[in-house]
């Protein structure tokens, strides 16, 4: 499934991306995160404004990715000036135990 090209005048100061690991389009196209995520992130870079404090956040649950691999994808497209990554967690009330709820990578200008 090809990523749509963006119009040059279209830009955003914040983008939150939560792509599925796998999906099918209306015409039977197949989306596989491990194959198409790099191109999608490059497209998001084209859409992100150059204004200070603009940000891009990539959230995910894909079993084949780690938070660090998400970060490396974001760095390869956006650069690593203001980038970070980590694990999303849900804390159990009244306990120190936590449950993993996904991973993230974030870039801000």
């Amino acid at each position: 499934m090809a990523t749509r090209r963006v119009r040059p005048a279209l830009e955003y100061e914040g983008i939150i991306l939560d792509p599925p690991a796998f999906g099918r389009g209306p015409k039977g196209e197949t989306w596989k995160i491990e194959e198409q995520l790099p191109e999608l992130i490059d497209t998001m870079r084209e859409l992100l404004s150059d204004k200070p404090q603009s940000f891009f956040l990539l959230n995910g649950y894909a079993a084949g990715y780690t938070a660090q691999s998400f970060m490396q994808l974001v760095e390869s497209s956006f650069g690593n000036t203001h980038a970070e990554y980590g694990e999303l967690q849900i804390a159990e009330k009244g306990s120190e135990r936590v449950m993993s709820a996904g991973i993230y990578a974030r870039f801000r200008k």
Side-chain angles (χ1 to χ4, degrees):
M1 183 182 324
T3 305
R4 293 182 198 158
R5 298 313 323 156
V6 297
R7 290 177 272 155
L10 190 61
E11 64 178 32
Y12 299 91
E13 292 178 30
I15 298 172
I16 299 173
L17 188 64
D18 187 12
F22 178 83
R24 293 208 184 271
K27 297 179 182 171
E29 311 96 332
T30 301
W31 161 266
K32 293 181 181 176
I33 194 168
E34 62 275 1
E35 294 174 9
Q36 285 135 326
L37 186 58
E39 182 182 355
L40 181 58
I41 291 174
D42 285 343
T43 301
M44 297 302 102
R45 184 194 70 243
E46 293 175 30
L47 288 170
L48 190 64
S49 169
D50 287 330
K51 292 180 181 178
Q53 300 304 313
S54 293
F55 70 92
F56 170 73
L57 173 64
L58 174 63
N59 184 55
Y61 313 94
Y65 275 102
T66 64
Q68 186 172 9
S69 61
F70 261 24
M71 185 72 251
Q72 290 168 348
L73 281 171
V74 171
E75 286 178 339
S76 69
S77 188
F78 288 93
N80 62 4
T81 309
H82 301 286
E84 63 182 64
Y85 67 93
E87 182 180 10
L88 302 170
Q89 298 177 336
I90 299 172
E92 182 179 294
K93 188 174 181 177
S95 170
E96 293 183 19
R97 296 188 299 190
V98 294
M99 179 174 62
S100 178
I103 56 178
Y104 75 92
R106 179 173 71 172
F107 168 83
R108 67 177 174 78
K109 295 202 177 211

